[in-house]
Amino acid sequence: MVGTLPMAGKVVIITGGTGGIGKATAIGLATMGARVAITGRDLARAEQAASDIRAASANPAVDAFAADLTSQAEVRRLAVGIMDAYPRLDVLVNNVGGFWAHRHPTADGLERTFALNHLAPFLLTNLLLDRLKARPPARVVTVSSGAQSMGRIDFGDLQGARNYSGQRAYNQSKLANVMFSNELARRLEGTGITANSLHPGVVRSNFGAEDQARWFAVMSHVILPLLKTPAQGAKTSIYLASSPDIERVTGQFFANGKPKNANKIAYDPDMTAKLWNVSAALVGMTLVTLATKPGGLT
Ligand SMILES: NC(=O)c1ccc[n+]([C@@H]2O[C@H](COP(=O)([O-])OP(=O)(O)OC[C@H]3O[C@@H](n4cnc5c(N)ncnc54)[C@H](OP(=O)(O)O)[C@@H]3O)[C@@H](O)[C@H]2O)c1
């Protein structure tokens, strides 16, 4: 039965599949026959979500991994676990992201929004790139936000150490998602691996609940009924991960299943390359490796 479905035989990794948009994305892609691996911080919660996804999709091929992606050591451990588990990888959906009203340092001494929303997908993608390249075509889908349009990359204070605002940190990280995706697409030209980013819409989920902005807590009761369901919010991720129509489309930002212009900084190759190099240094990847190693960490 699963063998006749459009994503049969494909292996898809979705970060943050225990709830919200990630879980709905996992249900959608598992229903299309993919083997789906989800991640979350807590193994029991991730296993429970995997069990829910198996039931909802009627596909037994759903696996769970646990890693706190604010920690680079955990990102590296997750990448090793994924590579041990899967000889092939077809799609990576970088979905995990969060909002924090106050500044929180990570185990690596970085600001949490930048570390989780940008550096974690940057590092995980680079660590899995050889596996994705091994059997093209493959896809990297990165969940950004409409907030990218208000973003500004403050290279002088990327970690919000001098002046933190939750909204500014979030906007910056979501712009970084689009810049990363566009730079990745440029670096992967001709490999058969595509990289696209997206805005899922405003979705009813657990988003931002750990340290909510006061205005959001007040407003959320009012706007809750207007928000998309996670299944609606997952549609563009599922489309980018699976549609044959866009097999060769790369370096684009999507919303509501359609390409859309993103923040103009995301199309500036000097800025995207600068962010790439700064990010590489922050995760301990060397520029020599980036520039020269064939098929390596590019
Ligand atoms: N909701 C919206 O309106 C909206 C709008 C625009 C963009 N987005 C973007 O959509 C993406 C998904 O958001 P969502 O609304 O589905 O959020 P959510 O409901 O809060 O789900 C977040 C997922 O990420 C996991 N996660 C959170 N912190 C983690 C960490 N430190 N390490 C590893 N996993 C972690 C959570 O798993 P555990 O808690 O089990 O660890 C959960 O599976 C994010 O990138 C967000 O920026 C959302």
Side-chain angles (χ1 to χ4, degrees):
M1 169 63 191
V2 164
T4 61
L5 294 170
M7 289 294 281
K10 307 261 188 205
V11 178
V12 177
I13 312 295
I14 302 169
T15 64
T18 62
I21 298 163
K23 187 176 183 182
T25 304
I27 292 171
L29 292 168
T31 302
M32 295 168 81
R35 170 170 282 278
V36 173
I38 59 159
T39 80
R41 280 166 291 187
D42 176 76
L43 188 58
R45 199 158 62 225
E47 295 279 17
Q48 179 57 55
S51 162
D52 298 345
I53 295 161
R54 280 182 213 114
S57 64
N59 180 348
V62 181
D63 308 318
F65 291 83
D68 182 340
L69 301 182
T70 60
S71 152
Q72 292 178 14
E74 291 269 289
V75 175
R76 290 176 189 280
R77 191 178 55 74
L78 174 65
V80 170
I82 288 170
M83 288 201 286
D84 283 350
Y86 308 111
R88 66 178 285 176
L89 282 185
D90 301 282
V91 183
L92 169 63
V93 182
N94 288 313
N95 168 77
V96 162
F99 175 100
W100 290 273
H102 302 90
R103 189 178 188 279
H104 303 269
T106 67
D108 302 309
L110 301 169
E111 187 280 310
R112 191 185 294 176
T113 321
F114 192 72
L116 182 66
N117 294 10
H118 169 60
L119 291 177
F122 176 84
L123 179 57
L124 184 65
T125 304
N126 274 294
L127 292 170
L128 297 179
L129 213 46
D130 276 351
R131 194 54 56 90
L132 287 157
K133 280 179 178 168
R135 273 180 86 155
R139 305 178 187 204
V140 179
V141 176
T142 300
V143 182
S144 172
S145 164
Q148 57 79 29
S149 66
M150 297 173 286
R152 188 178 152 258
I153 306 292
D154 185 352
F155 283 107
D157 188 22
L158 276 179
Q159 310 298 327
R162 279 203 299 275
N163 188 9
Y164 182 82
S165 133
Q167 191 62 56
R168 208 164 44 230
Y170 184 70
N171 297 349
Q172 172 177 261
S173 72
K174 291 290 134 177
L175 172 57
N177 288 157
V178 186
M179 293 172 74
F180 157 66
S181 181
N182 289 356
E183 178 68 18
L184 183 66
R186 198 178 64 72
R187 287 170 184 249
L188 291 175
E189 247 168 53
T191 63
I193 319 299
T194 61
N196 292 294
S197 57
L198 70 119
H199 169 49
V202 186
V203 177
R204 204 176 311 144
S205 70
N206 207 32
F207 180 76
E210 283 178 9
D211 177 13
Q212 218 158 50
R214 195 188 298 271
W215 69 265
F216 188 82
V218 173
M219 283 302 288
S220 63
H221 298 293
V222 181
I223 59 173
L224 214 56
L226 307 173
L227 305 188
K228 286 185 178 181
T229 63
Q232 291 167 332
K235 278 189 175 165
T236 303
S237 295
I238 293 168
Y239 173 73
L240 292 178
S242 65
S243 173
D245 299 347
I246 50 151
E247 193 165 281
R248 288 188 181 75
V249 173
T250 191
Q252 302 267 330
F253 175 72
F254 285 75
N256 290 318
K258 296 198 171 59
K260 198 179 169 210
N261 284 337
N263 193 317
K264 64 178 189 313
I265 299 164
Y267 304 101
D268 179 334
D270 292 336
M271 293 295 276
T272 58
K274 182 173 177 182
L275 179 64
W276 185 282
N277 291 340
V278 169
S279 305
L282 286 168
V283 300
M285 283 161 44
T286 66
L287 297 181
V288 174
T289 309
L290 297 177
T292 58
K293 191 179 168 198
L297 297 176
T298 48

